[in-house]
Amino acid sequence: MSIRVAVIGAKGRMGSHAVDAINDAEGLELVAALGSGDSLETLIDQNIDVAVELTVPKSTEDNVTFLVENGIDTVVGTTGWDNDRLARLEATLKDHPKTAVLIAPNFSIGAVLAMRFAELAAPYFDSAEVVEIHHTRKLDAPSGTANHTAQRIAAARNAAGLPAVPDSTESDPQGARGAVIDGIHVHAIRQQGMNAHEEILFGSDGEALTIRTDSHSTSAFMPGIVTAVRSIADYTGLIHGLENMLDL
């Protein structure tokens, strides 16, 4: 039997590519493609197995809450999921124990691998910083990928018992040192002509390691979305990161 899929945010850059990818994928059936003006109520009687939520940060929490409350597994590619939002989602999922939601900061296999490589490298270097570069249409900063990367680096450093990253900065009135996420500096660049790129910078006395991932087209995210749609029925509750569905 085919997996019946709905795409929410189907007219956006990611959403339109997702529609094509799902139509082309064996075993998936696109049942609904909703734009910003379409009501989610139309999904209730369509036997949707999985919804792919690719809207904007201000809408995503309400959309996902609706889907969970109606027992629809959901793959989420919209960023803006801070700790408060995640906590509310987990509380909602407790009332719907058979339903699963994947919050994926990035669907690029290369980006997911880069985060995993960074996690492995983090205990072996004194310094760590993240630089992310995106197109000028991106609404949030830093990106969800950079935020997730910094959190994983910090967790790996803490588990290894490392001290804080060395930094002697005493004055930064313009915020040149970037955001600080769990002790890791993150720098966001918005540049015309770019799509989605991340550099993870490590250093110790006498050596440096740079991990870089480049997604030149939105099509790079489609294999990850298709994988998540096919896999999510095997899970319940909140899954944070596509890496949890891959054999890494």
Side-chain angles (χ1 to χ4, degrees), residues 54-77:
L54 299 168
T55 60
V56 294
K58 68 179 181 180
S59 303
T60 185
E61 183 177 9
D62 288 343
N63 290 345
V64 174
T65 298
F66 175 91
L67 294 164
V68 171
E69 289 176 343
N70 285 279
I72 299 173
D73 291 338
T74 305
V75 172
V76 183

Side-chain angles (χ1 to χ4, degrees), residues 169-193:
T169 304
E170 292 184 356
S171 175
D172 182 13
Q174 304 302 321
R177 291 290 290 118
V180 181
I181 298 171
D182 294 349
I184 305 299
H185 284 266
V186 177
H187 310 268
I189 297 171
R190 297 293 172 262
Q191 183 176 327
Q192 195 75 14

Side-chain angles (χ1 to χ4, degrees), residues 157-239:
R157 289 176 58 85
N158 289 338
L162 295 185
V165 171
D167 184 359
S168 298
T169 304
E170 292 184 356
S171 175
D172 182 13
Q174 304 302 321
R177 291 290 290 118
V180 181
I181 298 171
D182 294 349
I184 305 299
H185 284 266
V186 177
H187 310 268
I189 297 171
R190 297 293 172 262
Q191 183 176 327
Q192 195 75 14
M194 304 298 277
N195 188 48
H197 315 264
E198 182 179 63
E199 285 192 351
I200 308 160
L201 309 172
F202 292 104
S204 288
D205 188 25
E207 71 170 329
L209 170 67
T210 299
I211 300 169
R212 176 165 178 138
T213 178
D214 299 280
S215 299
H216 297 291
S217 168
T218 305
S219 61
F221 308 123
M222 297 306 113
I225 288 178
V226 170
T227 296
V229 169
R230 287 175 171 158
S231 303
I232 197 167
D234 297 331
Y235 298 82
T236 58
L238 177 62
I239 308 107

Side-chain angles (χ1 to χ4, degrees), residues 17-154:
H17 278 82
V19 166
D20 291 340
I22 290 164
N23 275 326
D24 292 341
E26 184 177 352
L28 305 186
E29 179 185 357
L30 182 69
V31 178
L34 304 187
S36 59
D38 298 320
S39 172
L40 299 187
E41 298 283 346
T42 61
L43 301 179
I44 292 176
D45 297 324
Q46 297 193 54
N47 289 326
I48 303 297
D49 296 311
V50 183
V52 180
E53 208 280 347
L54 299 168
T55 60
V56 294
K58 68 179 181 180
S59 303
T60 185
E61 183 177 9
D62 288 343
N63 290 345
V64 174
T65 298
F66 175 91
L67 294 164
V68 171
E69 289 176 343
N70 285 279
I72 299 173
D73 291 338
T74 305
V75 172
V76 183
T78 307
T79 55
W81 286 87
D82 57 21
N83 289 336
D84 290 340
R85 284 184 165 192
L86 290 172
R88 289 193 292 269
L89 175 56
E90 286 188 302
T92 302
L93 283 164
K94 285 181 180 178
D95 294 330
H96 302 274
K98 295 183 179 180
T99 304
V101 175
L102 168 68
I103 303 288
N106 202 310
F107 286 103
S108 161
I109 303 301
V112 171
L113 288 171
M115 285 187 276
R116 178 58 179 147
F117 298 157
E119 193 172 42
L120 292 172
Y124 299 99
F125 292 88
D126 298 326
S127 295
E129 303 209 10
V130 178
V131 180
E132 57 99 339
I133 310 170
H134 280 81
H135 53 81
T136 55
R137 299 174 302 281
K138 187 167 178 59
L139 300 179
D140 60 325
S143 69
T145 301
N147 186 78
H148 196 47
T149 301
Q151 290 173 336
R152 292 177 66 176
I153 291 170

